Amino acid sequence: MDSRGLSIIAILFLLFLLGTLVLIGIMFVSILRQGDERRRMILLHAGSTSFTANAGWLLLEVVTGIWGSVTAGRPIELQNPVVMLMTAAIVYCASLAWYKRKFGD
């Protein structure tokens, strides 16, 4: 791969990183703004969907970590908190957009 291909990959990675940082900001700002009852219901559904997805992901990571340590003797690796925050923001913003469309905000 030449340097042009690497620079395109680097630019795409930086755009992805910037996009996830924007989503993290949107997540925290939308949680702080409560609004009326319909908006609170949308935030409740989006938050519970995000929590369920992240709890399921963590459960899967624990099970695969224990399974890998028992069967292959691999050490259990700790999760990167930045990746967890990025995943939570992506799932939250996607479910927020879904419930805003569903409930009309």
Side-chain angles (χ1 to χ4, degrees):
M1 186 176 279
D2 60 349
S3 63
R4 183 173 169 88
L6 288 176
S7 65
I8 291 173
I9 291 172
I11 289 171
L12 289 175
F13 175 72
L14 288 175
L15 286 175
F16 174 74
L17 188 63
L18 181 66
T20 54
L21 289 176
V22 168
L23 289 178
I24 291 169
I26 289 171
M27 179 178 67
F28 284 122
V29 168
S30 72
I31 289 172
L32 292 176
R33 290 186 322 148
Q34 288 296 315
D36 60 350
E37 288 134 8
R38 184 176 56 190
R39 177 153 173 80
R40 287 184 190 156
M41 185 175 61
I42 291 170
L43 292 177
L44 176 71
H45 285 308
S48 64
T49 302
S50 176
F51 175 76
T52 303
N54 284 312
W57 178 47
L58 286 173
L59 179 66
L60 186 64
E61 288 291 326
V62 167
V63 168
T64 57
I66 291 172
W67 181 260
S69 68
V70 169
T71 58
R74 293 180 306 197
I76 297 176
E77 297 178 7
L78 298 176
Q79 291 299 314
N80 189 345
V82 175
V83 174
M84 289 180 62
L85 184 61
M86 291 165 81
T87 306
I90 291 169
V91 171
Y92 179 81
C93 288
S95 62
L96 184 66
W98 170 262
Y99 287 116
K100 274 186 177 182
R101 184 169 185 236
K102 184 177 178 180
F103 294 122
D105 186 34

